[in-house]
Amino acid sequence: MANGKNIILVGVGGQGTILTTKILSAGLTELGYDVKMSEIHGMSQRGGTVTTQLKYGDKVYAPNIGDGEADVIVGFEKSEAARAIPYLRIGGTVIADEREIYSMPVLTGAAEYPHGILDDLKKTVGEDHVKVIDAFAKAEELGNTRVQNIVLLGALVKVLGIEGIDWVELVGKMVPAKVRDLNIEAYKQGFAMV
Amino acid sequence: MSGNEAVARGAYEAGVLWASAYPGTPSTEILENTAKYKEIHSQWSNNEKVALETACGASIGGERAFAAMKHVGLNVAADPLMTIAYEGVNGGLVVITADDPGCHSSQNEQDNRNYATLGKVLMLEPSDSQECKDMFKLAFEMSERFDMVVLFRMTTRVCHSKSIVELGERQEPKIKKYVSDKMKFAMLPASARLRHIAIEENLEKARAYAETSPLNIVEYNGDNKVGIITSGISYQHCREAFGDTVSYLKLGITNPLADNLIKEFCEKCETVHVVEEGDGYLEIGVRHLKLDCTGKELITCQGELTAEIVKTSLTEAKSEPTYDFPQLKDIPARPPVFCAGCPHRGFFYSMSKFRDKVVGMGDIGCYGLGWQEPFNCEETCVCMDAGTSTTIGMANALKNQDDTRKPLGFQGDSTFFHGGFTGFIDAVHYNTNAILCILDNDITAMTGHQLNAANDTGLMGEPVHKLNVTDMIYATGIDKDRVAVVDPMNQAEMDGALKHAIETDGLQVIVTKYPCALLKWDIQQRAGRHCVIDADKCVGCKMCMKVACPALAFDDGKAHIADPAACTGCGLCMQNCKVGAITKVGE
């Protein structure tokens, strides 16, 4: 696809991946791109992996992204970022949060959480292509862990180099009014983290 | 807009006055969005058959109406569909089927385009959100023009993908006066035989229309070496894969097929590929005309297509290279789980203690997760409502092989209303030697909290009469001693009810009453309540972990509440703690 990118946002149900994708789509549309996003609902909401895919460019046809076709993967959870690797284009970028959320096999002791997975990932795709961001910790520091998604959005906008519109205003417009200032701060902090 | 939102907008613009549905992924948001347009009466039905029949009534009465459902829902509604097809319409009538190639949230991958030929109804297939809106609007005009029901076939990626949609104005609804016409709307042998003649004629008129309809798009590119016949989302995959290098025949009307258009396209192109997800539906149409094409021998009938699959299937192109990441296999799976505070956890944890005494038979709902570790309670799952009726045959089979286990069927309140009650009546009528459990959590949870007959508010916020599962059970005249109403989070009570039901011959019924943990009004009520674990008292026996709650974690030999915000203080883990380390706070 000319002049565009394929992005995958992946996390665990309830982390706000869908809102992030909505804001990103609105911004990209404002920038004049054709945008398609695709999300999978249903059982995945019950604590399973949640994936949303977004494609933008001069003209986008298919909404979904195949293996090796994603330019950027944004992982809201460390192991989920790594799990999405088959989608990554050679030379693509991973933005991964340090956040660890244990799935049921880990909680019950049936499996072990791969704490060092991002280091392994760096070895595979290259140090420069894995941007590890402690967005959850930043959100905690800002006083509300729920803005983790907007911290990551800030980082993503920077990585994509799509600063051509007023993202701060857009974020302010698209989040609930009572947490607007907090989200705007989260966006700014995220932008500064990469 | 998503495809689902765009369809709702299309209904608004088309002057639709009636919308009904039973929730089911990926179709659910269609009705949730029509309800935002106050001009459209939108209501949840107890099942898809009822949804279609109510819409049919509105159409015969003279209003534009539609019913929406997921693909397997159309199996339930197939009975009315096949005969409404004979009757035709008064006000335009459209049935939405949202198919789920890839089984993202379904028990099969059936291709409902086959229903169009079976039922002899018109069929339209949109490929993006703009088409969803525009074609849905046109569907009502076509329905009225050809006096036919329209099947509007969507798929997961069309329903749940978002793209830009240009909006139009609402057309003022024109209600056609209802005039009694028994030969058209009352199907008995005498009228049905005559209507069959009429629908064949209408189909041919629609076929002639399809030949020149702007919904069927022909695009000749290059030197016509390769031509692709496709429809729906597959068109988008082809465009992505081949751009302007091949010719396209994109069919928006996929029943009846525009035969002459297909012939002309095939004659102009050297090689013709039919690209479609699911079955070789268009392919059969093309081959029926004795035309050469490739089809399912190249394009898989399984799962969803992608641009990459299309490209690598039709050409020598190789897949995009990917990173070889050996650690991928070490990442623990993240299966969906019962939410913290989910009442199904209490039920299944209790049931897992009696696993060798029962055969667990479920159906479609959140409780399908009882299939997984550590519960392993669901041995069968066929379709909506089967959790009740399959036990009836199983009881006979177990008896005939001297197996002393008792079939234990379970289903939710919404499924009970959907059709489970019908099977339930049989179980009472024949005194089946089974245990039937209704897991009543006050909502249709799985699809995202749609209101059902157990609620006192309708989809549009209007007050409605609320039904009670237990009253319905008693209404069968069942001996009250055979019915237990229990709190599934109270393990002594739940275990006791199951033990009694297993040890007592004949039909035993257990209703578990406890609200879904995600219910807004319940969340407000329990705000601030959660459990705490005293690390000094915890002996690390892991008994609390056995309930498999996502709010709990175990580190350094001690259990702790990993996420106090997620913990609802349901107290299930507390009941397993032998040393009293777990307490509830915030009550």
Side-chain angles (χ1 to χ4, degrees), chain A residues 22 36-39 41 43 46 61-64 77 79-80 82-83 86 91 101 103-104 107 112 120 124, chain B residues 157 160-162 236-237 239-240 305 322-325 327-328 332-334 336-337 366 445-446 545 548 552:
Chain A
K22 272 186 190 161
K36 278 191 180 172
M37 67 175 272
S38 187
E39 54 198 49
H41 301 239
M43 279 196 138
R46 305 282 175 262
Y61 292 101
N64 43 340
E77 200 275 350
S79 68
E80 293 307 327
R83 200 196 304 280
I101 299 174
S103 65
M104 195 48 68
L107 290 176
E112 207 170 313
D120 297 329
T124 301
Chain B
R157 293 287 170 183
H160 284 172
S161 294
K162 294 195 175 184
Q236 304 290 353
H237 296 315
R239 281 298 316 203
E240 182 91 35
L305 296 183
T322 55
Y323 287 104
D324 178 29
F325 185 48
Q327 289 86 354
L328 200 59
R334 193 179 296 277
V337 292
C366 286
M446 173 99 257
M545 301 301 292
L552 285 170

Side-chain angles (χ1 to χ4, degrees), chain A residues 1 6 11-12 18 22 29 33-49 53 55 59-69 77 79-80 82-92 99 101-109 111-114 117 120-122 124-126 129, chain B residues 25 29 104-105 127-128 156-158 160-164 233 235-237 239-240 243-244 277 304-308 319-328 330-339 345 365-366 368-369 373-374 445-449 518 542 545 548-555 562-563:
Chain A
M1 181 183 21
N6 297 342
V12 177
I18 291 177
K22 272 186 190 161
T29 307
Y33 289 108
D34 187 24
V35 182
K36 278 191 180 172
M37 67 175 272
S38 187
E39 54 198 49
I40 294 300
H41 301 239
M43 279 196 138
S44 54
Q45 287 176 323
R46 305 282 175 262
T49 304
Q53 307 188 338
K55 296 170 87 165
K59 176 75 191 158
V60 181
Y61 292 101
N64 43 340
I65 299 169
D67 284 357
E69 290 183 348
E77 200 275 350
S79 68
E80 293 307 327
R83 200 196 304 280
I85 285 311
Y87 285 112
L88 191 67
R89 195 188 291 290
I90 301 292
R99 168 91 160 135
I101 299 174
Y102 300 150
S103 65
M104 195 48 68
V106 175
L107 290 176
T108 57
E112 207 170 313
Y113 191 87
I117 195 88
D120 297 329
L121 197 58
K122 281 180 182 168
T124 301
V125 305
H129 293 271
Chain B
T25 313
E29 302 83 6
H104 291 290
S105 201
S127 76
D128 64 15
T156 302
R157 293 287 170 183
V158 173
H160 284 172
S161 294
K162 294 195 175 184
S163 53
I164 297 156
I233 194 70
Y235 166 72
Q236 304 290 353
H237 296 315
R239 281 298 316 203
E240 182 91 35
D244 292 338
E277 266 174 355
E304 284 191 301
L305 296 183
T306 60
E308 192 194 16
S319 300
E320 288 289 323
T322 55
Y323 287 104
D324 178 29
F325 185 48
Q327 289 86 354
L328 200 59
D330 303 330
I331 303 172
R334 193 179 296 277
V337 292
F338 291 125
C339 307
R345 175 175 292 103
C366 286
L369 296 173
E373 290 282 355
M446 173 99 257
T447 43
H449 285 155
L518 302 181
K542 285 192 170 179
M545 301 301 292
C549 176
L552 285 170
F554 193 87
D555 285 313
D563 189 353

Side-chain angles (χ1 to χ4, degrees), chain B residues 26 69-78 81 97-104 106-115 118 151 153-156 277-281 301-303 382-383:
Chain B
M69 56 205 68
K70 68 182 291 172
H71 61 336
V72 287
L74 192 56
N75 300 334
V76 180
L81 179 67
T97 171
D99 295 8
D100 189 17
C103 290
H104 291 290
S106 305
Q107 66 269 39
N108 73 28
E109 293 188 288
Q110 71 184 56
D111 185 338
N112 276 5
R113 293 179 301 172
N114 296 303
Y115 270 117
L118 181 65
L151 185 62
R153 195 256 189 171
M154 304 170 77
T155 53
T156 302
E277 266 174 355
D279 297 339
Y281 171 85
C301 66
Q302 294 162 17
V382 184
C383 59

Side-chain angles (χ1 to χ4, degrees), chain B residues 232-427:
Chain B
I233 194 70
S234 304
Y235 166 72
Q236 304 290 353
H237 296 315
C238 294
R239 281 298 316 203
E240 182 91 35
F242 303 116
D244 292 338
T245 63
V246 301
S247 298
Y248 298 97
L249 172 55
K250 176 195 179 288
L251 295 169
I253 302 173
T254 45
N255 195 51
L257 290 173
D259 289 348
N260 292 330
L261 197 64
I262 294 171
K263 267 184 211 156
E264 193 188 320
F265 184 79
C266 289
E267 278 159 13
K268 283 198 179 156
C269 297
E270 273 177 43
T271 308
V272 173
H273 300 299
V274 181
V275 178
E276 52 194 328
E277 266 174 355
D279 297 339
Y281 171 85
L282 297 175
E283 181 191 349
I284 290 171
V286 175
R287 291 194 195 276
H288 178 70
L289 298 170
K290 301 198 167 41
L291 299 165
D292 271 344
C293 66
T294 73
K296 286 293 136 184
E297 71 271 33
L298 294 182
I299 302 284
T300 177
C301 66
Q302 294 162 17
E304 284 191 301
L305 296 183
T306 60
E308 192 194 16
I309 293 173
V310 172
K311 199 169 186 170
T312 53
S313 302
L314 298 186
T315 69
E316 301 292 313
K318 295 273 176 291
S319 300
E320 288 289 323
T322 55
Y323 287 104
D324 178 29
F325 185 48
Q327 289 86 354
L328 200 59
K329 63 175 187 342
D330 303 330
I331 303 172
R334 193 179 296 277
V337 292
F338 291 125
C339 307
C342 174
H344 298 335
R345 175 175 292 103
F347 172 77
F348 284 113
Y349 181 58
S350 175
M351 185 178 161
S352 67
K353 298 171 200 168
F354 302 96
R355 219 157 21 200
D356 55 340
K357 303 229 169 12
V358 295
V359 174
M361 309 185 81
D363 52 41
I364 313 294
C366 286
Y367 46 91
L369 296 173
W371 181 77
Q372 305 191 117
E373 290 282 355
F375 306 113
N376 291 315
C377 284
E378 187 180 66
E379 297 179 43
T380 68
C381 171
V382 184
C383 59
M384 288 290 289
D385 321 331
T388 301
S389 1
T390 47
T391 61
I392 300 173
M394 179 62 89
N396 191 59
L398 292 176
K399 186 182 79 186
N400 286 339
Q401 54 197 294
D402 300 322
D403 188 328
T404 56
R405 287 178 298 169
K406 212 168 167 178
L408 189 158
F410 48 86
Q411 63 190 196
D413 45 321
S414 186
T415 315
F416 188 67
F417 296 131
H418 180 278
F421 184 60
T422 319
F424 185 87
I425 293 170
D426 267 15

